[in-house]
Amino acid sequence: MNLLFALMIVAPLVASASGLLVRGRESARDVATLIGSGTAAAASWVMFGIVASEGTKTVRVGGWDPELGIVLVADRFAALVLPIALAIIFVVEIFAIGQRRTAWGANPELAGPLLGVLTSGVSLAFLTGDLFTLFVAFELILVSSYVLLTHQGQRAQVRSGMSYVVMNLLASTLFLFGLAYVYAATGTVNMALLTERMGDLPEGVRIGIGAWFFVVFGTKAAVFPLFSWLPDSYPTAPTTITAVFAGLLTKIGIYAMIRFHTLMALDDLGGAMLIIAGVTMVIGALGALAQSNVKRILSFHIISQIGYMLMGLGLFSAAGTAGAILFLVHHMPVKTVLFLVGGLIENDQGTGNLDRSGGMASRRPLIAALFAVPALSLAGLPPFSGFIAKFSVISAGIEARATPIVVLALFAGLLTLLSMTKIWLGVFWGSPPDGSDDDDDPPGNRTTMLVATGMAVAGTLAISFFAGALFELSIEAAEELRSATAYREAVLR
Amino acid sequence: MSAALLFAVFGLTGVGIYLITSRSLSRIILGFVLLGHAAVIALVTAGGPPGEAPIAGRSDDPIANPLPQALALTAIVISFGLTLFMLALAGRQQTLSGSDLVEDDLEDRRLAARAEREAALEELREAALAEEEES
């Protein structure tokens, strides 16, 4: 078990260091980064199998007592989400290798190694059992994301990168203050110990800490009104980078929120969360409708979809939390695929602007098909994974008699479908724009890019195929989180 | 002791937030430096009363809680690295745009352009109306 945990966190770091050492030699560098993230992904799948059958596994780093040291915890929630996250990074790295010779590719000497650092941070964020290590994992992810976002040093990237850095740094500073409050109030930052001690705190202090961390994680997750940095910065980065960010970064904020607020049983915040969830959904979907660039439309959708996950969490019922977890599982691959297809469109058309492209359905039917599946899934149409995820969140809402939020969720789903139609009309239908030459081959290695995107689409289809089993796993994970005793016993035993 | 630290946290936070709200990047960076210090002091204060250096068997006096100090050290290292990165970014901004002021984002610029366009149209319309009335 120790080895598995170590592989997930250390292997990508080692690969990233060796990738930097051999950075001049293309194939060696690619092999190093692929081995690193591949090892981590494989280890996480093995861990998923073990945890699903045997229950929560823990590792005390250095053998220290949980009171003092770092504990890594793989409960059902972490074991369910982490393999998907790591598989996404692996697929995107393959895509990046195909894309790197184009104008939209990231600088390959940096992107591979930095993605390794990001991978390690993602593993640590999902597995950590204490809040301070969560802070460090966030920083690991953010620092690599700052560099990935701005490393090409173009003007738009520096401008939006600055607001991205400032917003996230502010959230990190607030996180530190929050840690000080938690430590002052309870004398620990270990989440298992906190589940015990938070219950003894006065009502106001408990809710105050909960609200504080809601703001911190909410900024990372881009909930209303803290989302302003997202739609401006994501589209400026190279496609592969945006795909990883879209699939993972905001989701880690939501993951931390689901874990912290459910474990600490902060049900009192549920009402506020539901209101914010409703506004986030609708504002995100409306913002998407107003845009005319593929990547900007997709960026606004991230915000809208965060609202659904927050809604599942805000219901504070086992069904609601399970819905949020299932939504997370569905959303990460679907969003990544959509950005990868956005990259394919840019590569093919030379632009991601809707009014300067068109006619791709007849010329590139494969790309059209690769777009249609995740787009319909995002809008929540059966039989795709989005339908199952939305259905579980909304049925949990109906069960909890939260009618307004259910209505808003359905309305936002409609708006999502509308803006997906807008991309379809602009990019795939109609006639190609004047002056475009049908015969010229687009730059980059298209086969590699198509294979990577195809793998990811197959992954999203697999999610709807195994929906029943996944839903049961989510329910188990949600119940485990809500009771908190199992978690506490596994960590402190 | 604790009261002095508390006021230090207040002061640093206040000045830090004031600096962050300005438009100049170098001020924003300075603001983050101060805010980071405030957070670190808060973290150390959260560890309880001060005491001897936390080395076992050195003296019989109560020792200070070492855990928050370890946390604070980690936080200091991280904020040091981030300060450097932000300075580099601000330097890049300076070479690209010639100033270290934060630029408006895309939507802001679009809205501003639209407002200007509409104001110009409105003026034209009013001028046309006035001409009609005169004739």
Side-chain angles (χ1 to χ4, degrees), chain A residues 132 139 153 155 159 162 169 180 183 232 296, chain B residues 25 46 65 71 82 86 92 103 105-107 109:
Chain A
F132 193 81
E139 290 309 314
R155 186 159 175 186
R159 177 180 51 75
M162 204 69 205
L169 201 54
Y183 197 87
D232 208 36
R296 283 184 71 88
Chain B
L25 284 178
N65 185 351
L71 305 187
L82 283 179
M86 285 185 78
R92 180 80 198 164
E103 291 180 70
D105 67 13
L106 187 61
E107 288 304 307
R109 277 179 283 146

mmCIF file with all atom_site columns, all heavy atoms in Angstrom, chain A residues 132 139 153 155 159 162 169 180 183 232 296, chain B residues 25 46 65 71 82 86 92 103 105-107 109:
data_model
loop_
_atom_site.group_PDB
_atom_site.id
_atom_site.type_symbol
_atom_site.label_atom_id
_atom_site.label_alt_id
_atom_site.label_comp_id
_atom_site.label_asym_id
_atom_site.label_entity_id
_atom_site.label_seq_id
_atom_site.pdbx_PDB_ins_code
_atom_site.Cartn_x
_atom_site.Cartn_y
_atom_site.Cartn_z
_atom_site.occupancy
_atom_site.B_iso_or_equiv
_atom_site.pdbx_formal_charge
_atom_site.auth_seq_id
_atom_site.auth_comp_id
_atom_site.auth_asym_id
_atom_site.auth_atom_id
_atom_site.pdbx_PDB_model_num
ATOM 1   N N   . PHE A 1 132 ? -3.379  21.197 6.170   1.00 0.00 ? 132 PHE A N   1
ATOM 2   C CA  . PHE A 1 132 ? -2.175  21.918 5.769   1.00 0.00 ? 132 PHE A CA  1
ATOM 3   C C   . PHE A 1 132 ? -1.541  21.268 4.546   1.00 0.00 ? 132 PHE A C   1
ATOM 4   O O   . PHE A 1 132 ? -1.082  21.961 3.637   1.00 0.00 ? 132 PHE A O   1
ATOM 5   C CB  . PHE A 1 132 ? -1.159  22.016 6.911   1.00 0.00 ? 132 PHE A CB  1
ATOM 6   C CG  . PHE A 1 132 ? -0.074  22.999 6.602   1.00 0.00 ? 132 PHE A CG  1
ATOM 7   C CD1 . PHE A 1 132 ? -0.298  24.345 6.800   1.00 0.00 ? 132 PHE A CD1 1
ATOM 8   C CD2 . PHE A 1 132 ? 1.122   22.605 6.052   1.00 0.00 ? 132 PHE A CD2 1
ATOM 9   C CE1 . PHE A 1 132 ? 0.670   25.278 6.480   1.00 0.00 ? 132 PHE A CE1 1
ATOM 10  C CE2 . PHE A 1 132 ? 2.097   23.527 5.726   1.00 0.00 ? 132 PHE A CE2 1
ATOM 11  C CZ  . PHE A 1 132 ? 1.868   24.868 5.942   1.00 0.00 ? 132 PHE A CZ  1
ATOM 12  N N   . GLU A 1 139 ? -0.883  24.590 -3.549  1.00 0.00 ? 139 GLU A N   1
ATOM 13  C CA  . GLU A 1 139 ? 0.201   25.454 -4.024  1.00 0.00 ? 139 GLU A CA  1
ATOM 14  C C   . GLU A 1 139 ? 0.992   24.759 -5.121  1.00 0.00 ? 139 GLU A C   1
ATOM 15  O O   . GLU A 1 139 ? 1.362   25.376 -6.121  1.00 0.00 ? 139 GLU A O   1
ATOM 16  C CB  . GLU A 1 139 ? 1.126   25.835 -2.866  1.00 0.00 ? 139 GLU A CB  1
ATOM 17  C CG  . GLU A 1 139 ? 0.488   26.791 -1.877  1.00 0.00 ? 139 GLU A CG  1
ATOM 18  C CD  . GLU A 1 139 ? -0.111  28.001 -2.542  1.00 0.00 ? 139 GLU A CD  1
ATOM 19  O OE1 . GLU A 1 139 ? 0.549   28.609 -3.407  1.00 0.00 ? 139 GLU A OE1 1
ATOM 20  O OE2 . GLU A 1 139 ? -1.266  28.343 -2.219  1.00 0.00 ? 139 GLU A OE2 1
ATOM 21  N N   . GLY A 1 153 ? 4.590   33.735 -22.551 1.00 0.00 ? 153 GLY A N   1
ATOM 22  C CA  . GLY A 1 153 ? 4.891   35.142 -22.380 1.00 0.00 ? 153 GLY A CA  1
ATOM 23  C C   . GLY A 1 153 ? 4.235   36.075 -23.376 1.00 0.00 ? 153 GLY A C   1
ATOM 24  O O   . GLY A 1 153 ? 4.726   37.168 -23.626 1.00 0.00 ? 153 GLY A O   1
ATOM 25  N N   . ARG A 1 155 ? 1.240   38.697 -24.662 1.00 0.00 ? 155 ARG A N   1
ATOM 26  C CA  . ARG A 1 155 ? 0.653   39.778 -23.903 1.00 0.00 ? 155 ARG A CA  1
ATOM 27  C C   . ARG A 1 155 ? -0.660  39.364 -23.238 1.00 0.00 ? 155 ARG A C   1
ATOM 28  O O   . ARG A 1 155 ? -0.887  39.631 -22.060 1.00 0.00 ? 155 ARG A O   1
ATOM 29  C CB  . ARG A 1 155 ? 0.418   40.980 -24.819 1.00 0.00 ? 155 ARG A CB  1
ATOM 30  C CG  . ARG A 1 155 ? -0.045  42.161 -24.051 1.00 0.00 ? 155 ARG A CG  1
ATOM 31  C CD  . ARG A 1 155 ? 0.191   43.429 -24.801 1.00 0.00 ? 155 ARG A CD  1
ATOM 32  N NE  . ARG A 1 155 ? -0.376  44.527 -24.051 1.00 0.00 ? 155 ARG A NE  1
ATOM 33  C CZ  . ARG A 1 155 ? -0.422  45.753 -24.498 1.00 0.00 ? 155 ARG A CZ  1
ATOM 34  N NH1 . ARG A 1 155 ? 0.088   46.042 -25.666 1.00 0.00 ? 155 ARG A NH1 1
ATOM 35  N NH2 . ARG A 1 155 ? -0.955  46.689 -23.769 1.00 0.00 ? 155 ARG A NH2 1
ATOM 36  N N   . ARG A 1 159 ? -1.435  39.263 -19.210 1.00 0.00 ? 159 ARG A N   1
ATOM 37  C CA  . ARG A 1 159 ? -2.504  40.079 -18.640 1.00 0.00 ? 159 ARG A CA  1
ATOM 38  C C   . ARG A 1 159 ? -3.498  39.217 -17.855 1.00 0.00 ? 159 ARG A C   1
ATOM 39  O O   . ARG A 1 159 ? -3.785  39.484 -16.689 1.00 0.00 ? 159 ARG A O   1
ATOM 40  C CB  . ARG A 1 159 ? -3.249  40.817 -19.764 1.00 0.00 ? 159 ARG A CB  1
ATOM 41  C CG  . ARG A 1 159 ? -4.424  41.627 -19.283 1.00 0.00 ? 159 ARG A CG  1
ATOM 42  C CD  . ARG A 1 159 ? -5.104  42.327 -20.441 1.00 0.00 ? 159 ARG A CD  1
ATOM 43  N NE  . ARG A 1 159 ? -5.419  41.421 -21.537 1.00 0.00 ? 159 ARG A NE  1
ATOM 44  C CZ  . ARG A 1 159 ? -6.405  40.547 -21.505 1.00 0.00 ? 159 ARG A CZ  1
ATOM 45  N NH1 . ARG A 1 159 ? -7.155  40.443 -20.440 1.00 0.00 ? 159 ARG A NH1 1
ATOM 46  N NH2 . ARG A 1 159 ? -6.627  39.753 -22.532 1.00 0.00 ? 159 ARG A NH2 1
ATOM 47  N N   . MET A 1 162 ? -2.031  37.369 -14.842 1.00 0.00 ? 162 MET A N   1
ATOM 48  C CA  . MET A 1 162 ? -1.860  38.181 -13.640 1.00 0.00 ? 162 MET A CA  1
ATOM 49  C C   . MET A 1 162 ? -3.115  38.135 -12.773 1.00 0.00 ? 162 MET A C   1
ATOM 50  O O   . MET A 1 162 ? -3.026  37.953 -11.561 1.00 0.00 ? 162 MET A O   1
ATOM 51  C CB  . MET A 1 162 ? -1.554  39.620 -14.079 1.00 0.00 ? 162 MET A CB  1
ATOM 52  C CG  . MET A 1 162 ? -0.818  40.412 -13.061 1.00 0.00 ? 162 MET A CG  1
ATOM 53  S SD  . MET A 1 162 ? 0.866   39.815 -12.872 1.00 0.00 ? 162 MET A SD  1
ATOM 54  C CE  . MET A 1 162 ? 1.187   40.349 -11.218 1.00 0.00 ? 162 MET A CE  1
ATOM 55  N N   . LEU A 1 169 ? -3.819  33.610 -5.446  1.00 0.00 ? 169 LEU A N   1
ATOM 56  C CA  . LEU A 1 169 ? -2.923  33.880 -4.337  1.00 0.00 ? 169 LEU A CA  1
ATOM 57  C C   . LEU A 1 169 ? -3.715  34.436 -3.152  1.00 0.00 ? 169 LEU A C   1
ATOM 58  O O   . LEU A 1 169 ? -3.442  34.106 -1.989  1.00 0.00 ? 169 LEU A O   1
ATOM 59  C CB  . LEU A 1 169 ? -1.857  34.886 -4.776  1.00 0.00 ? 169 LEU A CB  1
ATOM 60  C CG  . LEU A 1 169 ? -0.599  34.886 -3.943  1.00 0.00 ? 169 LEU A CG  1
ATOM 61  C CD1 . LEU A 1 169 ? -0.033  33.496 -3.877  1.00 0.00 ? 169 LEU A CD1 1
ATOM 62  C CD2 . LEU A 1 169 ? 0.428   35.816 -4.550  1.00 0.00 ? 169 LEU A CD2 1
ATOM 63  N N   . ALA A 1 180 ? -4.951  29.057 10.470  1.00 0.00 ? 180 ALA A N   1
ATOM 64  C CA  . ALA A 1 180 ? -4.648  29.617 11.785  1.00 0.00 ? 180 ALA A CA  1
ATOM 65  C C   . ALA A 1 180 ? -5.885  29.562 12.678  1.00 0.00 ? 180 ALA A C   1
ATOM 66  O O   . ALA A 1 180 ? -5.796  29.185 13.849  1.00 0.00 ? 180 ALA A O   1
ATOM 67  C CB  . ALA A 1 180 ? -4.156  31.053 11.637  1.00 0.00 ? 180 ALA A CB  1
ATOM 68  N N   . TYR A 1 183 ? -6.523  25.964 13.725  1.00 0.00 ? 183 TYR A N   1
ATOM 69  C CA  . TYR A 1 183 ? -5.562  25.486 14.706  1.00 0.00 ? 183 TYR A CA  1
ATOM 70  C C   . TYR A 1 183 ? -5.799  26.140 16.057  1.00 0.00 ? 183 TYR A C   1
ATOM 71  O O   . TYR A 1 183 ? -5.699  25.491 17.100  1.00 0.00 ? 183 TYR A O   1
ATOM 72  C CB  . TYR A 1 183 ? -4.128  25.744 14.225  1.00 0.00 ? 183 TYR A CB  1
ATOM 73  C CG  . TYR A 1 183 ? -3.128  24.922 14.989  1.00 0.00 ? 183 TYR A CG  1
ATOM 74  C CD1 . TYR A 1 183 ? -2.820  23.635 14.586  1.00 0.00 ? 183 TYR A CD1 1
ATOM 75  C CD2 . TYR A 1 183 ? -2.537  25.412 16.150  1.00 0.00 ? 183 TYR A CD2 1
ATOM 76  C CE1 . TYR A 1 183 ? -1.944  22.853 15.295  1.00 0.00 ? 183 TYR A CE1 1
ATOM 77  C CE2 . TYR A 1 183 ? -1.647  24.637 16.876  1.00 0.00 ? 183 TYR A CE2 1
ATOM 78  C CZ  . TYR A 1 183 ? -1.358  23.357 16.447  1.00 0.00 ? 183 TYR A CZ  1
ATOM 79  O OH  . TYR A 1 183 ? -0.497  22.583 17.162  1.00 0.00 ? 183 TYR A OH  1
ATOM 80  N N   . ASP A 1 232 ? -11.520 34.507 -18.343 1.00 0.00 ? 232 ASP A N   1
ATOM 81  C CA  . ASP A 1 232 ? -10.552 35.379 -18.988 1.00 0.00 ? 232 ASP A CA  1
ATOM 82  C C   . ASP A 1 232 ? -9.221  34.677 -19.181 1.00 0.00 ? 232 ASP A C   1
ATOM 83  O O   . ASP A 1 232 ? -8.535  34.897 -20.184 1.00 0.00 ? 232 ASP A O   1
ATOM 84  C CB  . ASP A 1 232 ? -10.364 36.641 -18.141 1.00 0.00 ? 232 ASP A CB  1
ATOM 85  C CG  . ASP A 1 232 ? -9.977  37.803 -19.003 1.00 0.00 ? 232 ASP A CG  1
ATOM 86  O OD1 . ASP A 1 232 ? -10.492 37.865 -20.142 1.00 0.00 ? 232 ASP A OD1 1
ATOM 87  O OD2 . ASP A 1 232 ? -9.172  38.634 -18.569 1.00 0.00 ? 232 ASP A OD2 1
ATOM 88  N N   . ARG A 1 296 ? -13.963 30.180 -25.158 1.00 0.00 ? 296 ARG A N   1
ATOM 89  C CA  . ARG A 1 296 ? -14.610 31.038 -24.147 1.00 0.00 ? 296 ARG A CA  1
ATOM 90  C C   . ARG A 1 296 ? -15.980 30.486 -23.766 1.00 0.00 ? 296 ARG A C   1
ATOM 91  O O   . ARG A 1 296 ? -16.377 30.532 -22.604 1.00 0.00 ? 296 ARG A O   1
ATOM 92  C CB  . ARG A 1 296 ? -14.708 32.476 -24.647 1.00 0.00 ? 296 ARG A CB  1
ATOM 93  C CG  . ARG A 1 296 ? -13.387 33.218 -24.565 1.00 0.00 ? 296 ARG A CG  1
ATOM 94  C CD  . ARG A 1 296 ? -13.506 34.665 -24.975 1.00 0.00 ? 296 ARG A CD  1
ATOM 95  N NE  . ARG A 1 296 ? -14.224 35.473 -24.009 1.00 0.00 ? 296 ARG A NE  1
ATOM 96  C CZ  . ARG A 1 296 ? -13.658 36.079 -22.974 1.00 0.00 ? 296 ARG A CZ  1
ATOM 97  N NH1 . ARG A 1 296 ? -12.373 35.962 -22.766 1.00 0.00 ? 296 ARG A NH1 1
ATOM 98  N NH2 . ARG A 1 296 ? -14.374 36.810 -22.155 1.00 0.00 ? 296 ARG A NH2 1
ATOM 99  N N   . LEU B 2 25  ? 0.989   46.896 -10.397 1.00 0.00 ? 25  LEU B N   1
ATOM 100 C CA  . LEU B 2 25  ? 1.353   45.525 -10.048 1.00 0.00 ? 25  LEU B CA  1
ATOM 101 C C   . LEU B 2 25  ? 2.359   45.468 -8.913  1.00 0.00 ? 25  LEU B C   1
ATOM 102 O O   . LEU B 2 25  ? 2.284   44.595 -8.055  1.00 0.00 ? 25  LEU B O   1
ATOM 103 C CB  . LEU B 2 25  ? 1.923   44.809 -11.278 1.00 0.00 ? 25  LEU B CB  1
ATOM 104 C CG  . LEU B 2 25  ? 0.878   44.383 -12.287 1.00 0.00 ? 25  LEU B CG  1
ATOM 105 C CD1 . LEU B 2 25  ? 1.540   43.741 -13.488 1.00 0.00 ? 25  LEU B CD1 1
ATOM 106 C CD2 . LEU B 2 25  ? -0.072  43.395 -11.653 1.00 0.00 ? 25  LEU B CD2 1
ATOM 107 N N   . ALA B 2 46  ? -1.510  31.135 16.696  1.00 0.00 ? 46  ALA B N   1
ATOM 108 C CA  . ALA B 2 46  ? -2.504  30.093 16.944  1.00 0.00 ? 46  ALA B CA  1
ATOM 109 C C   . ALA B 2 46  ? -1.899  28.932 17.733  1.00 0.00 ? 46  ALA B C   1
ATOM 110 O O   . ALA B 2 46  ? -2.627  28.127 18.300  1.00 0.00 ? 46  ALA B O   1
ATOM 111 C CB  . ALA B 2 46  ? -3.074  29.580 15.625  1.00 0.00 ? 46  ALA B CB  1
ATOM 112 N N   . ASN B 2 65  ? 4.985   25.534 21.137  1.00 0.00 ? 65  ASN B N   1
ATOM 113 C CA  . ASN B 2 65  ? 4.424   24.489 20.278  1.00 0.00 ? 65  ASN B CA  1
ATOM 114 C C   . ASN B 2 65  ? 5.140   24.515 18.925  1.00 0.00 ? 65  ASN B C   1
ATOM 115 O O   . ASN B 2 65  ? 5.049   25.493 18.190  1.00 0.00 ? 65  ASN B O   1
ATOM 116 C CB  . ASN B 2 65  ? 2.922   24.761 20.109  1.00 0.00 ? 65  ASN B CB  1
ATOM 117 C CG  . ASN B 2 65  ? 2.239   23.657 19.342  1.00 0.00 ? 65  ASN B CG  1
ATOM 118 O OD1 . ASN B 2 65  ? 2.890   22.778 18.801  1.00 0.00 ? 65  ASN B OD1 1
ATOM 119 N ND2 . ASN B 2 65  ? 0.916   23.720 19.305  1.00 0.00 ? 65  ASN B ND2 1
ATOM 120 N N   . LEU B 2 71  ? 4.578   24.673 10.223  1.00 0.00 ? 71  LEU B N   1
ATOM 121 C CA  . LEU B 2 71  ? 3.624   25.083 9.190   1.00 0.00 ? 71  LEU B CA  1
ATOM 122 C C   . LEU B 2 71  ? 3.994   26.458 8.652   1.00 0.00 ? 71  LEU B C   1
ATOM 123 O O   . LEU B 2 71  ? 3.989   26.704 7.443   1.00 0.00 ? 71  LEU B O   1
ATOM 124 C CB  . LEU B 2 71  ? 2.201   25.109 9.745   1.00 0.00 ? 71  LEU B CB  1
ATOM 125 C CG  . LEU B 2 71  ? 1.648   23.841 10.395  1.00 0.00 ? 71  LEU B CG  1
ATOM 126 C CD1 . LEU B 2 71  ? 0.168   24.020 10.724  1.00 0.00 ? 71  LEU B CD1 1
ATOM 127 C CD2 . LEU B 2 71  ? 1.827   22.642 9.504   1.00 0.00 ? 71  LEU B CD2 1
ATOM 128 N N   . LEU B 2 82  ? 6.456   32.499 -4.598  1.00 0.00 ? 82  LEU B N   1
ATOM 129 C CA  . LEU B 2 82  ? 5.393   33.126 -5.387  1.00 0.00 ? 82  LEU B CA  1
ATOM 130 C C   . LEU B 2 82  ? 5.672   34.603 -5.610  1.00 0.00 ? 82  LEU B C   1
ATOM 131 O O   . LEU B 2 82  ? 5.355   35.145 -6.663  1.00 0.00 ? 82  LEU B O   1
ATOM 132 C CB  . LEU B 2 82  ? 4.050   32.927 -4.694  1.00 0.00 ? 82  LEU B CB  1
ATOM 133 C CG  . LEU B 2 82  ? 3.514   31.524 -4.880  1.00 0.00 ? 82  LEU B CG  1
ATOM 134 C CD1 . LEU B 2 82  ? 2.196   31.356 -4.151  1.00 0.00 ? 82  LEU B CD1 1
ATOM 135 C CD2 . LEU B 2 82  ? 3.324   31.231 -6.358  1.00 0.00 ? 82  LEU B CD2 1
ATOM 136 N N   . MET B 2 86  ? 5.741   36.425 -9.194  1.00 0.00 ? 86  MET B N   1
ATOM 137 C CA  . MET B 2 86  ? 4.913   37.584 -9.547  1.00 0.00 ? 86  MET B CA  1
ATOM 138 C C   . MET B 2 86  ? 5.779   38.744 -10.012 1.00 0.00 ? 86  MET B C   1
ATOM 139 O O   . MET B 2 86  ? 5.402   39.478 -10.933 1.00 0.00 ? 86  MET B O   1
ATOM 140 C CB  . MET B 2 86  ? 4.070   38.005 -8.350  1.00 0.00 ? 86  MET B CB  1
ATOM 141 C CG  . MET B 2 86  ? 2.919   37.065 -8.106  1.00 0.00 ? 86  MET B CG  1
ATOM 142 S SD  . MET B 2 86  ? 1.863   37.639 -6.802  1.00 0.00 ? 86  MET B SD  1
ATOM 143 C CE  . MET B 2 86  ? 0.945   38.898 -7.641  1.00 0.00 ? 86  MET B CE  1
ATOM 144 N N   . ARG B 2 92  ? 7.714   41.136 -17.002 1.00 0.00 ? 92  ARG B N   1
ATOM 145 C CA  . ARG B 2 92  ? 7.304   40.795 -18.369 1.00 0.00 ? 92  ARG B CA  1
ATOM 146 C C   . ARG B 2 92  ? 6.223   41.762 -18.850 1.00 0.00 ? 92  ARG B C   1
ATOM 147 O O   . ARG B 2 92  ? 6.263   42.249 -19.979 1.00 0.00 ? 92  ARG B O   1
ATOM 148 C CB  . ARG B 2 92  ? 6.777   39.365 -18.352 1.00 0.00 ? 92  ARG B CB  1
ATOM 149 C CG  . ARG B 2 92  ? 6.320   38.847 -19.678 1.00 0.00 ? 92  ARG B CG  1
ATOM 150 C CD  . ARG B 2 92  ? 7.475   38.394 -20.519 1.00 0.00 ? 92  ARG B CD  1
ATOM 151 N NE  . ARG B 2 92  ? 7.045   38.303 -21.906 1.00 0.00 ? 92  ARG B NE  1
ATOM 152 C CZ  . ARG B 2 92  ? 7.852   38.232 -22.935 1.00 0.00 ? 92  ARG B CZ  1
ATOM 153 N NH1 . ARG B 2 92  ? 9.144   38.260 -22.761 1.00 0.00 ? 92  ARG B NH1 1
ATOM 154 N NH2 . ARG B 2 92  ? 7.387   38.140 -24.158 1.00 0.00 ? 92  ARG B NH2 1
ATOM 155 N N   . GLU B 2 103 ? -4.130  45.634 -16.739 1.00 0.00 ? 103 GLU B N   1
ATOM 156 C CA  . GLU B 2 103 ? -4.958  45.991 -17.890 1.00 0.00 ? 103 GLU B CA  1
ATOM 157 C C   . GLU B 2 103 ? -6.373  45.474 -17.696 1.00 0.00 ? 103 GLU B C   1
ATOM 158 O O   . GLU B 2 103 ? -6.599  44.500 -16.991 1.00 0.00 ? 103 GLU B O   1
ATOM 159 C CB  . GLU B 2 103 ? -4.359  45.381 -19.160 1.00 0.00 ? 103 GLU B CB  1
ATOM 160 C CG  . GLU B 2 103 ? -3.056  46.020 -19.567 1.00 0.00 ? 103 GLU B CG  1
ATOM 161 C CD  . GLU B 2 103 ? -2.516  45.383 -20.823 1.00 0.00 ? 103 GLU B CD  1
ATOM 162 O OE1 . GLU B 2 103 ? -3.101  45.586 -21.880 1.00 0.00 ? 103 GLU B OE1 1
ATOM 163 O OE2 . GLU B 2 103 ? -1.512  44.674 -20.735 1.00 0.00 ? 103 GLU B OE2 1
ATOM 164 N N   . ASP B 2 105 ? -9.796  43.499 -18.557 1.00 0.00 ? 105 ASP B N   1
ATOM 165 C CA  . ASP B 2 105 ? -9.943  42.213 -19.235 1.00 0.00 ? 105 ASP B CA  1
ATOM 166 C C   . ASP B 2 105 ? -10.813 42.372 -20.479 1.00 0.00 ? 105 ASP B C   1
ATOM 167 O O   . ASP B 2 105 ? -11.336 43.434 -20.779 1.00 0.00 ? 105 ASP B O   1
ATOM 168 C CB  . ASP B 2 105 ? -10.460 41.132 -18.288 1.00 0.00 ? 105 ASP B CB  1
ATOM 169 C CG  . ASP B 2 105 ? -11.870 41.368 -17.835 1.00 0.00 ? 105 ASP B CG  1
ATOM 170 O OD1 . ASP B 2 105 ? -12.538 42.224 -18.440 1.00 0.00 ? 105 ASP B OD1 1
ATOM 171 O OD2 . ASP B 2 105 ? -12.300 40.712 -16.888 1.00 0.00 ? 105 ASP B OD2 1
ATOM 172 N N   . LEU B 2 106 ? -10.924 41.255 -21.221 1.00 0.00 ? 106 LEU B N   1
ATOM 173 C CA  . LEU B 2 106 ? -11.540 41.290 -22.543 1.00 0.00 ? 106 LEU B CA  1
ATOM 174 C C   . LEU B 2 106 ? -12.962 41.834 -22.499 1.00 0.00 ? 106 LEU B C   1
ATOM 175 O O   . LEU B 2 106 ? -13.335 42.723 -23.266 1.00 0.00 ? 106 LEU B O   1
ATOM 176 C CB  . LEU B 2 106 ? -11.514 39.874 -23.114 1.00 0.00 ? 106 LEU B CB  1
ATOM 177 C CG  . LEU B 2 106 ? -11.959 39.723 -24.555 1.00 0.00 ? 106 LEU B CG  1
ATOM 178 C CD1 . LEU B 2 106 ? -11.067 40.523 -25.462 1.00 0.00 ? 106 LEU B CD1 1
ATOM 179 C CD2 . LEU B 2 106 ? -11.913 38.254 -24.943 1.00 0.00 ? 106 LEU B CD2 1
ATOM 180 N N   . GLU B 2 107 ? -13.768 41.333 -21.560 1.00 0.00 ? 107 GLU B N   1
ATOM 181 C CA  . GLU B 2 107 ? -15.171 41.756 -21.496 1.00 0.00 ? 107 GLU B CA  1
ATOM 182 C C   . GLU B 2 107 ? -15.266 43.241 -21.165 1.00 0.00 ? 107 GLU B C   1
ATOM 183 O O   . GLU B 2 107 ? -16.085 43.959 -21.732 1.00 0.00 ? 107 GLU B O   1
ATOM 184 C CB  . GLU B 2 107 ? -15.917 40.945 -20.432 1.00 0.00 ? 107 GLU B CB  1
ATOM 185 C CG  . GLU B 2 107 ? -16.175 39.517 -20.824 1.00 0.00 ? 107 GLU B CG  1
ATOM 186 C CD  . GLU B 2 107 ? -16.921 39.376 -22.133 1.00 0.00 ? 107 GLU B CD  1
ATOM 187 O OE1 . GLU B 2 107 ? -17.987 39.985 -22.289 1.00 0.00 ? 107 GLU B OE1 1
ATOM 188 O OE2 . GLU B 2 107 ? -16.417 38.676 -23.032 1.00 0.00 ? 107 GLU B OE2 1
ATOM 189 N N   . ARG B 2 109 ? -13.139 45.560 -21.875 1.00 0.00 ? 109 ARG B N   1
ATOM 190 C CA  . ARG B 2 109 ? -12.797 46.375 -23.035 1.00 0.00 ? 109 ARG B CA  1
ATOM 191 C C   . ARG B 2 109 ? -13.916 46.341 -24.056 1.00 0.00 ? 109 ARG B C   1
ATOM 192 O O   . ARG B 2 109 ? -14.248 47.339 -24.673 1.00 0.00 ? 109 ARG B O   1
ATOM 193 C CB  . ARG B 2 109 ? -11.481 45.877 -23.651 1.00 0.00 ? 109 ARG B CB  1
ATOM 194 C CG  . ARG B 2 109 ? -10.270 46.446 -22.922 1.00 0.00 ? 109 ARG B CG  1
ATOM 195 C CD  . ARG B 2 109 ? -8.994  45.940 -23.500 1.00 0.00 ? 109 ARG B CD  1
ATOM 196 N NE  . ARG B 2 109 ? -8.745  44.571 -23.062 1.00 0.00 ? 109 ARG B NE  1
ATOM 197 C CZ  . ARG B 2 109 ? -8.145  43.665 -23.814 1.00 0.00 ? 109 ARG B CZ  1
ATOM 198 N NH1 . ARG B 2 109 ? -7.751  43.965 -25.028 1.00 0.00 ? 109 ARG B NH1 1
ATOM 199 N NH2 . ARG B 2 109 ? -7.942  42.460 -23.335 1.00 0.00 ? 109 ARG B NH2 1
#
